[in-house]
Amino acid sequence: MHAVTDKPPGWLGRSVERLEDAALLTGAGRFVDDIAPPPGTLAAAILRSPRAHARIGAIAIDAARRLPGVAAILTGADVAAMSAPLAAGIKAPLECWPIAIDRARYVGEPVAVVVASDRYIAEDALDLIAVSYEPLPAVVDPIAAMQPTATLLHDKLGANIASDRSFCYGDPAAQFAAAATRIAVSVRYPRNSCTPIETYGVIAEYAASDDAYDVTANFMGPLSMHPVMARALRVPGNRLRLRTPPDSGGSFGVKQGLVPYIVLIALAARLAGRPVKWIEDRLEHLSASVSATNRVTKLAAAVDADGRVRALDWDQIEDVGAHLRAPEPAALYRMHGNLTGAYDIRHVCVRNRVVLTNKTPSGLNRGFGGPQVYFALERLMQRIARELGLDPLDVIRRNLVPTGAFPYRTATGGLLDSGDYAGAIERAVAQGTLAELRARRVNARGQGRLYGIGYAAVVEPSISNMGYITTVLTAQERARAGPKNGAFATATVAFDPLGCVSVQIASTPQGQGHRTVAAQVVADVFGLAPADVRVLGELDTARDAWSIASGNYSSRFAGAVAGAVHLAAQRLAAKLKRAAATQLNVAPDDVVFAGARAQARDNRDNAMAFSRLAAATHWSPGLMDAGDHALRETVFWTPPELAAPSDADAVNSSLCHGFIFDFCGIEIDRVTGAVRVDKYVTMHDCGRVLHPGMVAGQITGGFAHALGAALYEEFAYAPDGSFLSGTFADYLVPTAMEIPQPLMLHMETPSPFTPLGAKGVGEGNCMSTPVCIANAAADALGVDQVELPLLPARLAAHFHPREEFPKGTTAATAVAIGARQGDGAMTLHGRGVVEIARVPQDVWAMLLDAKTLAAIIPGAGAIEKLSETHFRVDVTLGVGPVRGDGHALVL
Amino acid sequence: MPRLSADRQHSVRFELNGREVEAQAEPRMLLSDFLRHVLAMTGTHVGCEHGVCGACTVEIDGMAARACLTLAVQVEGARVRTVEALAPGPGRLSILQEAFRRHHGLQCGFCTPGILMSLDIFLRAHPAPSEIDIREYLSGHLCRCTGYAPIVAAALDAAEKLREADIIG
Ligand code: FES
Ligand code: FES
């Protein structure tokens, strides 16, 4: 049974105004590019590979070095001499460096770093560096990359497959043999990213006297990356001081990807002998910061005739891009404990492969592994309904983990902490008026419109087990390395000599309002107002309490960090109550904190000011028993439920599991193929809600990301590995015009495993919404296969006949500007057909004449005849205020 | 218009948030960099430097403009307002800013200064906008945190409160 939480009187559970907002609304925020760097700080700019795959020959830096204002230039050779590769999560002969060393493996990979007196000069200097690239064939598609003939990214690995593991839970083979039918889907999840509006920023200093680095970056954790960076910099952990600025402009996982840049800029500072600051620009961010993994999944179910699923067979091929960058391949294992989603399925087999391709390395991104898993699982549930002629909602209902079965141990080792999935669905169906939506579909279809309804039921994991990633290792490898598990959350609460309360948290907030919620938690414990409590969200690894799990990911704040704050405040409260008991002459249990006072439970007049009590330990330590001083408490909290993976590879990958049930109605325009979301209902159970306004914000924000992923956003690559989405005009982020308002519904089933009963809520819609909309599109079109993003052209292909070139043009001259396939340069692609009323011989003669060629190529400058049929032409092209120079090879 | 030479610093004089300011800039310096790094007005943010995200939006002579697509030297003699000018006084918030706080119209706050500037200008000219007016106008801004719903709610609420204040005032 689910229990609806009684809201205790107090600040928690109320949408109080955020303590963060006054500064942010007046332009007084302190983001990484706003804080004054140390005097003498220089600016860095990064030269990046224009090619997807190439051997790097000479890097000529002399001209750049001579430019006035340039202080230092760092290349791969310097980095190799000064540092070590970034450690990876698996044992394989792979080296991951923060810069290309001898070989570039993706467009945008750093090749050199210029340090100069300001960013303008640093960028000028980039233009003066000449790099000789020897192109190699590029491989972009993960399936192609697995072929034995594919070009190798990392020669020592001998293949492009970095890991291949198979798992078996229960007896799936027997279930597949016994079941009425086997139903399978084969899906591809595309590359995308949540692209925070603030890009990466790093300020680094190196003190040669101490051999120590001091770095400020808008990094979001996890702090398990701190030892990775310290090792790469070849310093002990206590000589890498990492700090975060007070404010950060969004992250959504993406600012985990700062790790290689922190190392790179730290090395640049060391080489330059001066502090160095680097602020990433948007092109750099889109092309080379980090991306969610694209994944190819085959998922099969052993199904009974009534739609009951007996077993699942997963085959996941994860494309991590050009390097396996820690903590990857975590995205492939984050969902391992809940690969059965919201369903009671006891038999599962899994094959997980990690593949390298010539694309940007992958990393954390909102939903991390969830969008990929649920796109397959919930497309499969819809397919089962379609093939068996059942209602998709009935198939979902029939397979749910039963109410009353919680905590429920999944086949793969997850422990679903609490929930009432069936109850949540029935409420959503009623409150979201599904019946009315179904009538709308009947009506629309009656008019010949393309209208569909989609569903998705999703378990949203939060508070990651730091050991889940070791599931990628074999049991023997894990035994050798020692167990890894847990998820330490830390918080410090302290009183100053005026009895005022300060809190420090290591959750590196990136806009979610952690400071406000921490203040609510503490205010409730001490009977104060949130505004009385000062909360510091910035982190300093040299001074603050932190551990490897610290940071802002896996939606861990509400469940873990707010819980740790609560525990720390309670410890202090217990001590204060003992001190107050002596002064008020009552038992400690009869002391209550309310209205900024400590008072006797039965006699409110027997009271003292809270601040006086809290200050007392500073001024009169004799009032308290030795060792019982209430000055400051730090709590390290880790839940016992997060054990290391078992020898049989069962893993409880996350502590909490919220539940989401979504349904939507969409219409596809019969002419353009554009999707209009007519209605979207999203039901959430994220345990106890600490701040309804922030929970709503997480849902509308996550929904917007998910809608972008469903309909618009994709990091697109040409077959030769060139990157096609380098601006916000190419990578389409939805605006206020594209995002409809979802109907948000809630219920609260507290988690028994977190101090406050809260679970995470930040990522769920990124898991549920893309597949819910895709299911609706498949329903509208009556097709089996839909591909994300649901671009109008892709959808229109289902109902418009293929367009053919009109007859008679096939013999015309086709002109294509672009590079050879596999060349991998950053190229401009164009295609066009022009009819010329001359005999072919004349046309060839014209085209092979250098002068004529120069005259007909727009913007052509110098032209060089390489052979009878090859020309190299310098071209200048401009679009609006943007102008670019390049060269074209005309063959 | 004076001729500027590319390799020299030029003096730029203009009115910034009601005060005369003067500082040096190379002709190629962006207004966004000039405001932030030369004049230390870091409230104006930079999210893309190619005119799409809207984070850098400021008011130039009464019009909303992208500071990242404007050169510093272009504001010579102009009146420029930035987010730092919106609050009526230290420790206070404008009606629009208050509405954003009430409706949780911001999370990270990085897009917020640009959105506030746009809406401040828009609501002056359109005191009674519909939701669709606001959404259409806001489509020149990207926000990755909020999903826009609370921003739209804040803008509608602010418009109403501004109308009331107008009637009373
Ligand atoms: S920074 Fe100017 S529009 Fe994005
Ligand atoms: S509040 Fe973060 S981008 Fe808008």
Side-chain angles (χ1 to χ4, degrees):
Chain A
M1 271 304 292
H2 72 270
V4 176
T5 329
D6 286 333
K7 286 212 169 51
W11 298 103
L12 272 186
R14 285 163 54 181
S15 292
V16 300
E17 289 187 350
R18 300 197 327 164
L19 304 174
E20 290 86 349
D21 289 354
L24 296 173
L25 286 163
T26 51
R30 282 172 302 149
F31 297 88
V32 66
D33 194 29
D34 301 341
I35 47 185
T41 298
L42 302 173
I46 301 177
L47 182 72
R48 292 171 182 275
S49 171
R51 293 174 185 275
H53 202 185
R55 242 181 274 287
I56 297 177
I59 304 179
I61 59 171
D62 287 354
R65 194 71 190 74
R66 281 196 301 272
L67 187 72
V70 171
I73 296 174
L74 183 81
T75 63
D78 302 311
V79 171
M82 293 161 73
S83 66
L86 295 156
I90 61 170
K91 308 268 167 282
L94 283 171
E95 282 192 357
C96 177
W97 294 90
I99 195 167
I101 295 187
D102 300 332
R103 188 153 158 188
R105 295 182 174 87
Y106 62 96
V107 170
E109 182 159 24
V111 171
V113 181
V114 172
V115 177
S117 52
D118 70 36
R119 184 173 143 199
Y120 288 78
I121 293 173
E123 289 190 14
D124 287 346
L126 297 185
D127 289 346
L128 300 175
I129 299 177
V131 182
S132 83
Y133 295 100
E134 181 194 321
L136 296 166
V139 60
V140 170
D141 180 78
I143 304 296
M146 292 198 307
Q147 305 313 311
T149 50
T151 181
L152 280 186
L153 270 88
H154 298 267
D155 297 341
K156 283 193 202 138
L157 188 61
N160 294 322
I161 302 171
S163 164
D164 183 350
R165 280 219 69 195
S166 295
F167 305 87
C168 185
Y169 305 90
D171 191 355
Q175 298 298 321
F176 272 98
T181 177
R182 174 190 180 97
I183 297 175
V185 292
S186 182
V187 298
R188 283 175 172 255
Y189 193 84
R191 283 207 153 209
N192 52 35
S193 158
C194 289
T195 66
I197 300 297
E198 180 197 39
T199 56
Y200 292 175
V202 181
I203 303 164
E205 241 181 303
Y206 174 72
S209 49
D210 290 341
D211 187 25
Y213 293 93
D214 187 341
V215 179
T216 299
N218 51 5
F219 178 58
M220 58 149 245
L223 268 288
S224 56
M225 293 296 110
H226 184 278
V228 171
M229 293 186 278
R231 286 216 180 117
L233 290 168
R234 293 208 201 119
V235 289
N238 56 11
R239 280 164 202 265
L240 169 59
R241 181 178 190 176
L242 186 62
R243 307 191 231 194
T244 62
D247 295 303
S248 175
S251 175
F252 323 110
V254 174
K255 284 176 180 160
Q256 167 266 324
L258 270 135
V259 169
Y261 293 102
I262 289 173
V263 172
L264 195 60
I265 301 304
L267 294 172
R270 179 172 176 176
L271 188 74
R274 293 265 291 272
V276 172
K277 172 172 168 176
W278 170 70
I279 301 292
E280 184 192 46
D281 74 21
R282 184 55 60 183
L283 169 61
E284 295 181 283
H285 187 83
L286 290 169
S287 62
S289 60
V290 81
S291 160
T293 56
N294 53 306
R295 190 179 295 177
V296 181
T297 305
K298 285 203 176 85
L299 175 60
V303 195
D304 290 337
D306 64 354
R308 181 81 180 101
V309 177
R310 293 168 169 235
L312 291 177
D313 178 356
W314 287 91
D315 181 354
Q316 306 189 94
I317 295 168
E318 182 86 323
D319 179 354
V320 295
H323 295 285
L324 187 64
R325 214 189 247 171
E328 293 286 40
L332 189 53
Y333 286 90
R334 182 195 182 194
M335 312 294 287
H336 203 82
N338 52 286
L339 276 175
T340 43
Y343 307 119
D344 178 26
I345 302 170
R346 303 307 315 163
H347 307 273
V348 181
C349 53
V350 187
R351 183 175 188 192
N352 279 344
R353 276 171 284 186
V354 176
V355 175
L356 297 146
T357 61
N358 292 107
K359 302 201 289 285
T360 295
S362 64
L364 271 63
N365 193 60
R366 198 173 198 168
F368 198 49
Q372 293 88 338
V373 158
Y374 286 113
F375 188 61
L377 184 57
E378 294 302 287
R379 287 291 298 123
L380 175 69
M381 297 312 272
Q382 199 219 30
R383 182 74 65 82
I384 290 171
R386 197 170 139 77
E387 296 209 0
L388 299 179
L390 301 169
D391 180 330
L393 186 53
D394 287 340
V395 175
I396 289 174
R397 283 181 174 131
R398 197 151 296 154
N399 287 290
L400 291 173
V401 172
T403 303
F406 297 91
Y408 171 93
R409 184 67 72 179
T410 67
T412 49
L415 188 60
L416 306 180
D417 49 337
S418 66
D420 173 8
Y421 300 171
I425 288 181
E426 294 328 312
R427 283 197 205 193
V429 164
Q431 293 173 24
T433 59
L434 176 63
E436 186 268 337
L437 193 66
R438 284 183 161 152
R440 238 187 260 188
R441 177 173 62 182
V442 170
N443 198 4
R445 286 184 176 172
Q447 296 167 7
R449 286 151 55 198
L450 295 169
Y451 197 101
I453 293 179
Y455 307 91
V458 155
V459 167
E460 175 182 3
S462 54
I463 311 176
S464 284
N465 183 346
M466 297 312 285
Y468 77 73
I469 176 62
T470 61
T471 319
V472 70
L473 304 175
T474 62
Q476 293 81 351
E477 286 171 325
R478 281 199 297 271
R480 271 199 299 280
K484 291 203 172 59
N485 64 293
F488 267 116
T490 65
T492 300
V493 181
F495 298 128
D496 65 27
L498 287 176
C500 304
V501 188
S502 298
V503 179
Q504 197 276 327
I505 45 179
S507 60
T508 58
Q510 317 269 328
Q512 298 95 332
H514 294 179
R515 288 170 53 212
T516 300
V517 176
Q520 286 175 279
V521 169
V522 172
D524 275 352
V525 174
F526 295 139
L528 302 169
D532 298 333
V533 180
R534 283 288 279 173
V535 183
L536 284 189
E538 56 259 55
L539 179 71
D540 177 344
T541 58
R543 293 211 164 135
D544 300 326
W546 62 277
S547 180
I548 54 166
S550 297
N552 185 2
Y553 60 94
S554 78
S555 304
R556 60 191 291 281
F557 175 76
V561 180
V565 171
H566 184 73
L567 295 176
Q570 275 188 320
R571 271 194 208 168
L572 280 176
K575 291 182 179 182
L576 279 187
K577 282 187 180 176
R578 285 198 287 277
T582 324
Q583 305 207 23
L584 302 177
N585 211 9
V586 294
D589 281 351
D590 287 328
V591 176
V592 290
F593 298 132
R597 297 181 343 149
Q599 58 198 29
R601 190 181 304 279
D602 300 326
N603 178 6
R604 305 231 153 159
D605 295 334
N606 183 14
M608 64 189 294
F610 179 85
S611 56
R612 224 184 94 208
L613 177 66
T617 319
H618 284 280
W619 301 104
S620 326
L623 282 179
M624 310 192 79
D625 292 343
D628 207 19
H629 301 135
L631 292 168
R632 180 183 177 109
E633 279 289 344
T634 294
V635 162
F636 281 77
W637 175 82
T638 187
E641 291 81 9
L642 293 183
S646 74
D647 287 348
D649 294 316
V651 59
N652 185 22
S653 34
S654 304
L655 180 67
C656 294
H657 297 85
F659 179 70
I660 303 174
F661 174 66
D662 287 1
F663 63 87
C664 69
I666 69 158
E667 180 166 2
I668 300 172
D669 189 295
R670 267 215 179 272
V671 177
T672 63
V675 171
R676 179 181 65 87
V677 177
D678 184 33
K679 175 169 182 165
Y680 200 98
V681 177
T682 183
M683 159 61 93
H684 285 252
D685 182 349
C686 60
R688 183 168 168 211
V689 171
L690 305 182
H691 188 295
M694 289 186 202
V695 167
Q698 286 301 313
I699 294 172
T700 54
F703 175 72
H705 276 139
L707 193 98
L711 299 182
Y712 310 108
E713 297 178 30
E714 181 171 19
F715 282 148
Y717 287 83
D720 65 359
S722 32
F723 184 64
L724 307 177
S725 323
T727 73
F728 273 147
D730 308 290
Y731 187 83
L732 297 179
V733 169
T735 75
M737 285 303 281
E738 285 82 41
I739 303 289
Q741 169 99 44
L743 174 66
M744 289 181 272
L745 303 171
H746 290 283
M747 58 187 266
E748 293 188 33
T749 315
S751 172
F753 301 153
T754 62
L756 295 167
K759 309 182 184 188
V761 69
E763 303 172 85
N765 281 93
C766 288
M767 307 181 191
S768 60
T769 299
V771 67
C772 185
I773 294 178
N775 280 342
D779 181 50
L781 298 168
V783 298
D784 278 345
Q785 200 73 24
V786 285
E787 201 181 330
L788 295 183
L790 298 162
L791 302 175
R794 283 184 182 154
L795 297 178
H798 288 285
F799 49 86
H800 286 320
R802 241 181 94 86
E803 286 182 34
E804 303 285 351
F805 280 116
K807 282 214 168 58
T809 53
T810 41
T813 316
V815 184
I817 302 175
R820 284 163 298 164
Q821 298 264 306
D823 179 357
M826 210 157 357
T827 54
L828 188 65
H829 291 265
R831 199 177 280 280
V833 178
V834 181
E835 288 229 38
I836 302 172
R838 297 288 280 270
V839 292
Q841 191 61 35
D842 292 354
V843 178
W844 280 118
M846 242 164 67
L847 287 175
L848 293 176
D849 175 57
K851 271 205 201 111
T852 316
L853 204 53
I856 61 175
I857 294 179
I863 186 158
E864 188 187 346
K865 188 164 182 170
L866 301 174
S867 75
E868 275 311 302
T869 53
H870 285 63
F871 299 87
R872 187 193 148 103
V873 193
D874 288 338
V875 278
T876 301
L877 284 179
V879 182
V882 182
R883 196 177 59 94
D885 298 321
H887 64 263
L889 288 173
V890 181
L891 312 167
Chain B
M1 184 119 201
R3 275 191 80 82
L4 303 176
S5 96
D7 49 9
R8 257 196 42 216
Q9 301 257 336
H10 296 267
S11 174
V12 186
R13 283 173 66 160
F14 65 109
E15 187 190 308
L16 177 60
N17 299 333
R19 288 193 192 175
E20 279 296 320
V21 293
E22 178 169 0
Q24 302 287 312
E26 277 181 34
R28 65 176 176 171
M29 178 170 271
L30 302 177
L31 178 59
S32 46
D33 286 340
F34 191 55
L35 289 171
R36 293 179 46 78
H37 300 309
V38 179
L39 298 167
M41 300 293 276
T42 53
T44 301
H45 294 159
V46 171
C48 71
E49 282 184 307
H50 55 253
V52 181
C53 78
C56 67
T57 304
V58 297
E59 181 181 324
I60 302 176
D61 290 334
M63 307 270 284
R66 303 286 207 228
C68 76
L69 295 185
T70 307
L71 296 171
V73 292
Q74 285 178 276
V75 299
E76 169 75 28
R79 282 183 51 213
V80 177
R81 280 177 84 231
T82 64
V83 66
E84 284 93 343
L86 291 182
R92 296 173 59 202
L93 295 179
S94 72
I95 286 175
L96 179 65
Q97 288 167 319
E98 267 176 1
F100 266 66
R101 182 161 72 176
R102 228 178 10 259
H103 290 273
H104 305 288
L106 67 160
Q107 287 182 29
C108 77
F110 201 79
C111 67
T112 314
I115 292 182
L116 289 174
M117 291 313 293
S118 274
L119 285 174
D120 187 71
I121 297 163
F122 179 71
L123 294 179
R124 281 203 308 262
H126 305 86
S130 67
E131 175 176 341
I132 194 72
D133 292 340
I134 286 175
R135 283 189 178 265
E136 193 161 349
Y137 190 74
L138 281 177
S139 68
H141 291 271
L142 300 181
C143 172
R144 278 307 231 175
C145 296
T146 62
Y148 305 105
I151 297 179
V152 174
L156 284 168
D157 187 9
E160 193 182 321
K161 295 246 161 26
L162 285 164
R163 286 197 302 274
E164 285 166 13
D166 227 29
I167 293 164
I168 297 163

